[in-house]
Amino acid sequence: MNVSHKLIALTISLAVAAGCQRSDQETTGADAPATREVPAAAAKFAEVDGQRLQNAAGEPSQWMTYGGTYSERHFSNLDQIDTGNVARLGLAWFADYDTNLTQTGTPLYIDGVIYVSTAWSKVYAFDARTGAQLWYYNPKVPGEWAVKVCCGLVNRGIAAYDGKIYVGTLDGRLIALDAATGEEVWSKLTIDPDQRYSITSAPRVVKGKVLIGNSGGEFGVRGYIGAYDAQTGEEAWRFYTVPGNPAEGFENEAMARAADTWGGEWWKLGGGGTVWDAIVYDPESDLVYFGTGNGTPWNQRDRDPTGGDNLYLASIVAVRPDTGEYVWHYQTTPGDTWDYDAVSPMMLLDIELDGKPRHVLVQPCKNGFLYVLDAASGKLLSADPFTTVNWADGVNLETGRPNVRPEARYEIGSVFNLAPGVQGAHGWHANSYNPSTGLMYIPTQRAYFPMIAEENYQPSEVGYNLGLDFAAPFTYYRDHPDVPSEFVGYVIAWDPATGREVWRGEENQGATGGTLATAGGLVFHSGGSSNEFRAYDARSGDKLWHVDVQTGVVAAPISYEIDGTQYVAVSVGGGTAAGYFAPNHSRLLVFKLDGTTTLPTPVEYVPRPLNPPVLTASAEEIELGRQQYSQYCAACHGTNGQTRGATFPNLMVTPLLHTQEGFDQVVLQGVRAERGMASFAQVLEPRDSAAILAYVVSLATAAKDAAPTAAAGPTVNQPHEDIE
Ligand code: CA
């Protein structure tokens, strides 16, 4: 199964939709969703207004916004499914998607209808009773836009308001869809299309405005968040996260102050600081909080030789929702040089700290510290490591600054085996919180990455701008087998009041997935590359239930209720250990007690063997290929040619290794542009393409030598599911 099937499937999606679905409800039959009970929302789809959003906790049967409520706790107050009966949980229905790529979308459930986004920024609406597809929307993102996307062609979610569903697209559009029909109501281009922006995150609706940021910090853009009128799409305000060229003046006081923390000519590459995930609204303080990403390039020496703090990179920022006016910020990683985005999901909690009730904003950050901030003032209340951290010895609560170890800044000529590595302690995956246990449930990673500065870094108009050797893990860990190199994921239960881990779930290779906490005393967890969707006891951490979903599962689950029955829904697909060439089953799965639907038996799959041609290239040519690969290829194909799971091909087993002409057609002539592989002729010449081919052949040869009988090579440092 590959992407070409997806393109064919796309054109006939409506025809196959019925055949793709199964339901265990006798009234619908297995293949006939056409005659069915009209959803309760037939007259009114997505009738969500500001009051309903603000009171979402009072409607536990619904899931109207990305994090469940404005507090973004990913908590369902439904308790029909509980610790005593979760073993009876079974599939109620499922629906196939027309994409076989990684799925990261959190669905919404509103008045009888499930809305969910998939890879390539597509949106589906299903009758939540039966699984019948109500509509499907494809924004038709140009395939070649993929070269501007750092970390998978994903979409993490949508928003609903006043009869409309809002989705941000990879090519930077914010689109309002009629929730009844899926027809476009308006479309607003939120970016400069000549720059390397993309959108993968979920919009939020606050006070009649749709808030959305964007991605692109690995390439070189100026980060910002925008607010757009929910009815018209007109831009209401924009808040940049880093200052522009001082010679052109500053948009506001916040930018002028930020410019004092920068040196060099950062604006030429935009600076970075993209707002690519967390956005939280607090009605109590009337503030919108968002996280900002890393600087561009990652290596601060190449971005700001003066070593300033570089505000507002790697920060949590609070602004007024009506105007976008700056109110406060907290910078988690001053002078970031490690790709330590501060965009990870945040939530609002009311907890007791040192005997005092506190209204706080909490973020388990990619840099390995969990920050508790006063929600109104931004004052730092606590900062504790929640995984292995070696770049800083704690955080000074007086100054709010981390105690950075000097060697962590990887001087040229040195190596620092960073923890958490650039994979991060925690990515975009949903945290959850159960008010009864007082515990947060945090998808957590333990990861290393060797930081090696790139000498003589030059900015590039194509590919990453990092200022470090992104292909380093393969050779460094091969040559240093005794240093830690693991990348594992698991869920932890964390007490934000005491700053302590209470229990830990099982560890799996690579990035882990999102969580959902429920009033039934359960924590549902998407188990990443384990292909397992599971439920833990929220208090003890005992694993009470699990199911093999036949593919990777990283998206966040939701729960809702119809006619007195509680359901749990999750998108699955992609990120499989088996890789791009393996069959992949991207679907929406919906569970209930005593559900009896079964998934089709997976197609048997025999992985492609390692069969590289004889390596004839010189060491110099292979080294040139390694450098070019690091710059232009590793973003999608991983640090060692095979580590992007289901989204991009494993180059070590591609037949193109045997034909330089065919390889050049893809790399230099763009024959696969519509699938996302644009031509790199702008920056690569035929000798570069030959060198890259030689480098990949050298990888495949080394892998085959290391494990002659293995289907694919060593998995040194696993996929970077969430480097964005
Ligand atoms: Ca990043």
Side-chain angles (χ1 to χ4, degrees):
M1 184 73 182
N2 61 33
V3 185
S4 66
H5 295 111
K6 180 199 67 184
L7 292 170
I8 296 164
L10 185 152
T11 59
I12 54 171
S13 62
L14 289 176
V16 301
C20 285
Q21 291 152 37
R22 301 289 185 274
S23 169
D24 65 350
Q25 296 202 355
E26 290 179 9
T27 51
T28 64
D31 294 306
T35 56
R36 55 180 171 74
E37 189 180 345
V38 175
K44 292 184 173 181
F45 287 78
E47 278 301 302
V48 176
D49 59 17
Q51 191 169 16
R52 217 178 159 195
L53 280 174
Q54 197 156 324
N55 299 328
E59 287 189 76
S61 62
Q62 310 288 308
W63 198 278
M64 294 182 283
T65 183
Y66 184 71
T69 67
Y70 273 143
S71 296
E72 302 256 343
R73 297 176 186 173
H74 291 265
F75 174 72
S76 168
N77 209 17
L78 300 175
D79 61 2
Q80 182 177 74
I81 304 166
D82 61 25
T83 54
N85 63 24
V86 68
R88 287 167 36 209
L89 203 58
L91 197 58
W93 58 267
F94 68 92
D96 288 357
Y97 300 142
D98 74 346
T99 151
N100 64 358
L101 303 179
T102 299
Q103 305 304 326
T104 64
T106 299
L108 300 181
Y109 169 80
I110 303 161
D111 300 332
V113 180
I114 289 189
Y115 308 90
V116 64
S117 60
T118 72
W120 286 113
S121 328
K122 299 168 182 177
V123 186
Y124 288 82
F126 299 102
D127 181 330
R129 283 183 177 77
T130 64
Q133 182 177 303
L134 301 177
W135 53 258
Y136 161 83
Y137 172 75
N138 180 357
K140 299 193 170 84
V141 173
E144 58 269 27
W145 200 277
V147 76
K148 300 187 184 188
V149 182
C150 80
C151 311
L153 307 171
V154 296
N155 186 282
R156 287 189 296 281
I158 49 184
Y161 187 76
D162 193 22
K164 292 183 269 301
I165 298 295
Y166 302 89
V167 61
T169 67
L170 285 171
D171 56 350
R173 289 170 284 164
L174 178 64
I175 296 173
L177 303 172
D178 185 323
T181 64
E183 300 287 323
E184 262 186 42
V185 179
W186 55 255
S187 175
K188 169 77 176 177
L189 184 62
T190 67
I191 58 154
D192 174 353
D194 293 331
Q195 298 201 44
R196 288 178 279 172
Y197 287 105
S198 56
I199 298 178
T200 60
S201 56
R204 301 338 189 253
V205 178
V206 176
K207 301 174 95 172
K209 297 180 177 66
V210 189
L211 306 181
I212 192 79
N214 45 55
S215 306
E218 272 55 57
F219 301 103
V221 295
R222 186 184 180 199
Y224 60 91
I225 180 175
Y228 305 86
D229 185 286
Q231 302 303 344
T232 65
E234 187 185 346
E235 184 174 307
W237 54 258
R238 176 181 293 198
F239 183 89
Y240 283 104
T241 60
V242 294
N245 185 348
E248 295 172 9
F250 299 115
E251 290 86 358
N252 51 50
E253 261 302 304
M255 287 302 103
R257 285 196 298 273
D260 290 341
T261 67
W262 287 82
E265 297 182 311
W266 72 90
W267 61 87
K268 288 188 169 175
L269 266 178
T274 49
V275 182
W276 65 263
D277 198 64
I279 303 173
V280 176
Y281 172 57
D282 183 15
E284 189 174 321
S285 58
D286 194 35
L287 292 173
V288 165
Y289 314 98
F290 53 87
T292 69
N294 55 277
T296 316
W298 285 357
N299 189 335
Q300 195 195 17
R301 265 179 232 92
D302 297 319
R303 181 175 76 239
D304 173 4
T306 70
D309 282 355
N310 299 165
L311 291 172
Y312 302 94
L313 296 180
S315 298
I316 296 164
V317 182
V319 301
R320 290 287 170 213
D322 295 312
T323 59
E325 181 193 356
Y326 167 94
V327 178
W328 60 255
H329 79 274
Y330 173 73
Q331 188 173 43
T332 58
T333 310
D336 173 44
T337 196
W338 306 279
D339 187 31
Y340 280 158
D341 310 73
V343 304
S344 293
M346 301 185 279
M347 65 173 70
L348 289 159
L349 296 178
D350 293 287
I351 57 175
E352 207 164 274
L353 283 178
D354 300 327
K356 283 187 218 156
R358 287 278 197 174
H359 184 56
V360 297
L361 182 69
V362 183
Q363 184 190 61
C365 187
K366 187 179 178 184
N367 70 11
F369 291 98
L370 185 139
Y371 297 94
V372 180
L373 305 169
D374 182 273
S377 70
K379 179 179 164 45
L380 179 66
L381 301 176
S382 69
D384 296 292
F386 64 99
T387 185
T388 304
V389 173
N390 71 6
W391 66 279
D393 293 310
V395 176
N396 182 324
L397 292 182
E398 291 303 313
T399 64
R401 301 178 71 88
N403 303 311
V404 179
R405 296 182 184 172
E407 64 271 27
R409 288 194 172 271
Y410 58 101
E411 296 291 335
I412 288 175
S414 70
V415 182
F416 187 75
N417 192 31
L418 179 71
V422 300
Q423 308 93 324
H426 176 54
W428 53 267
H429 312 84
N431 314 300
S432 55
Y433 175 80
N434 184 328
S436 296
T437 64
L439 300 177
M440 291 176 68
Y441 305 97
I442 304 169
T444 303
Q445 296 169 179
R446 199 167 64 246
Y448 290 86
F449 196 95
M451 304 298 276
I452 300 175
E454 180 183 0
E455 292 183 50
N456 307 314
Y457 160 79
Q458 294 295 325
S460 173
E461 292 182 10
V462 179
Y464 277 178
N465 278 298
L466 306 182
L468 58 76
D469 182 351
F470 196 57
F474 185 82
T475 46
Y476 180 74
Y477 289 134
R478 183 192 63 196
D479 298 342
H480 300 82
D482 296 332
V483 308
S485 62
E486 65 184 338
F487 177 18
V488 296
Y490 46 88
V491 63
I492 61 171
W494 180 270
D495 186 337
T498 63
R500 293 212 181 91
E501 181 178 319
V502 176
W503 58 257
R504 180 180 298 203
E506 71 185 76
E507 295 184 356
N508 299 119
Q509 289 298 314
T512 193
T515 67
L516 163 74
T518 72
L522 296 167
V523 180
F524 290 92
H525 177 222
S526 295
S529 60
S530 69
N531 290 12
E532 192 175 273
F533 183 50
R534 53 177 74 125
Y536 290 103
D537 184 309
R539 292 185 188 278
S540 68
D542 292 340
K543 190 161 90 172
L544 301 177
W545 173 83
H546 63 98
V547 62
D548 177 359
V549 297
Q550 303 182 352
T551 184
V553 52
V554 291
I558 66 165
S559 190
Y560 57 90
E561 182 184 77
I562 310 175
D563 303 335
T565 300
Q566 182 184 356
Y567 295 84
V568 174
V570 65
S571 265
V572 303
T576 59
Y580 175 86
F581 294 110
N584 180 25
H585 308 285
S586 291
R587 296 171 170 135
L588 180 66
L589 305 183
V590 178
F591 300 89
K592 66 174 183 178
L593 291 178
D594 304 319
T596 56
T597 299
T598 54
L599 292 173
T601 304
V603 178
E604 193 175 334
Y605 171 63
V606 179
R608 293 186 182 194
L610 281 162
N611 180 31
V614 175
L615 182 62
T616 56
S618 67
E620 290 75 22
E621 186 177 17
I622 291 170
E623 173 57 21
L624 171 66
R626 196 186 74 82
Q627 292 171 12
Q628 302 285 30
Y629 182 91
S630 173
Q631 174 74 45
Y632 301 113
C633 314
C636 291
H637 296 284
T639 58
N640 64 354
Q642 64 157 16
T643 54
R644 274 299 188 184
T647 299
F648 299 102
N650 173 358
L651 296 182
M652 289 204 291
V653 296
T654 174
L656 291 175
L657 292 189
H658 293 268
T659 161
Q660 185 70 54
E661 186 184 356
F663 196 78
D664 288 349
Q665 285 176 351
V666 174
V667 174
L668 302 176
Q669 295 168 33
V671 297
R672 291 188 181 164
E674 69 176 11
R675 299 192 202 176
M677 176 60 198
S679 165
F680 283 74
Q682 186 187 347
V683 287
L684 296 176
E685 297 176 2
R687 72 182 280 262
D688 301 314
S689 180
I692 291 169
L693 177 61
Y695 173 62
V696 179
V697 169
S698 78
L699 291 177
T701 303
K704 189 176 182 184
D705 290 348
T709 58
T715 49
V716 179
N717 222 36
Q718 277 289 311
H720 297 167
E721 180 64 38
D722 59 353
I723 301 170
E724 188 156 355

